[in-house]
């Protein structure tokens, strides 16, 4: 192959020869190339978070042996009367404190609850009056719902259940649907 033939194959665009910079300039329109060019897409730039978000750990108790998370409206320490009621409720569905993870969720944020749910495996999720878990906020009280293999229940606070017989009956029916 000669050098001229090789250059033809190497350069596909038209090439123009300019003799001198001071010569009369003649505008020559380039011939359109047969290739179709795609429109350039704007480049999106992802911004880095300015500060690392650190969540305060919530106080928990229990060992979560049977993959059940219970959100209670307690601060760091459990209220004695409410804890006794909760243990009776758990006993009625054949669960103990070691079988569940009690999350003390008073003044908890939605992000903290999401972090707990992501960190701990669970088949059942029960909210006793905290109203901090986004998926549970739309549920009707004492009406268990399934989301895939997980069951969820939203109930009143334990202090309200302790003083109202109708709420106890509603809770018992809902727990039977979830556990028994």
């Amino acid at each position: 192959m000669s050098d001229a033939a090789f250059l033809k194959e190497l350069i596909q665009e038209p090439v123009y020869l300019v003799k001198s910079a001071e010569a009369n300039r003649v505008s020559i329109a380039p011939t359109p190339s047969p290739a179709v060019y795609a429109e350039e897409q704007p480049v999106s730039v992802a911004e880095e978070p300015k500060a690392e978000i650190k969540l305060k750990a919530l106080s928990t108790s229990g060992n979560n042996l049977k993959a059940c998370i219970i959100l209670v409206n307690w601060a760091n320490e459990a209220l004695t009367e409410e804890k006794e009621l909760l243990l009776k409720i758990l006993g009625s569905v054949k669960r103990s404190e070691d079988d569940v993870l009690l999350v003390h969720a008073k003044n908890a944020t939605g992000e903290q609850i999401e972090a707990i749910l992501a960190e701990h495996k669970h088949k059942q999720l029960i909210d006793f009056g905290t109203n901090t878990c986004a998926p549970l906020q739309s549920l009707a009280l004492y009406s268990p719902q399934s989301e895939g293999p997980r069951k969820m229940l939203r109930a009143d606070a334990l202090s309200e259940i302790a003083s109202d017989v109708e709420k106890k009956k509603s809770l018992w029916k809902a727990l039977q649907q979830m556990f028994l």
Side-chain angles (χ1 to χ4, degrees), residues 123-145:
K123 294 178 187 172
Q124 294 95 14
L125 174 63
I126 303 172
D127 182 358
F128 282 108
T130 65
N131 296 323
T132 54
C133 185
L136 294 175
Q137 289 176 346
S138 63
L139 296 181
L141 289 172
Y142 306 107
S143 177
Q145 298 291 321

Side-chain angles (χ1 to χ4, degrees), residues 51-126:
E52 186 176 320
I53 300 170
K54 293 186 179 183
L55 296 175
K56 181 182 172 189
L58 295 175
S59 176
T60 61
S61 58
N63 294 323
N64 199 23
L65 297 176
K66 295 201 177 171
C68 179
I69 296 178
I70 298 176
L71 306 174
V72 290
N73 205 9
W74 301 337
N76 293 335
E77 294 296 320
L79 304 173
T80 309
E81 297 165 0
E82 290 184 13
K83 186 167 185 174
E84 287 176 14
L85 174 64
L86 182 59
L87 292 176
K88 287 180 185 177
I89 292 169
L90 291 174
S92 71
V93 290
K94 300 176 182 151
R95 299 286 189 273
S96 68
E97 190 173 355
D98 281 340
D99 294 335
V100 300
L101 179 70
L102 295 175
V103 179
H104 304 202
K106 185 171 187 145
N107 301 324
T109 64
E111 291 84 14
Q112 288 173 312
I113 299 298
E114 287 177 22
I116 287 281
L117 296 178
E119 183 179 344
H120 297 280
K121 181 180 91 171
H122 63 285
K123 294 178 187 172
Q124 294 95 14
L125 174 63
I126 303 172

Side-chain angles (χ1 to χ4, degrees), residues 15-26 28:
V15 178
Y16 301 100
L17 177 63
V18 178
K19 292 184 180 181
S20 72
E22 297 174 5
N24 292 339
R25 296 185 180 231
V26 177
I28 302 173

Side-chain angles (χ1 to χ4, degrees), residues 36-61:
V36 177
Y37 294 102
E39 292 182 22
E40 290 185 28
Q41 298 293 327
V43 177
S44 62
V45 178
E47 293 184 23
E48 293 290 324
K50 294 181 176 139
E52 186 176 320
I53 300 170
K54 293 186 179 183
L55 296 175
K56 181 182 172 189
L58 295 175
S59 176
T60 61
S61 58

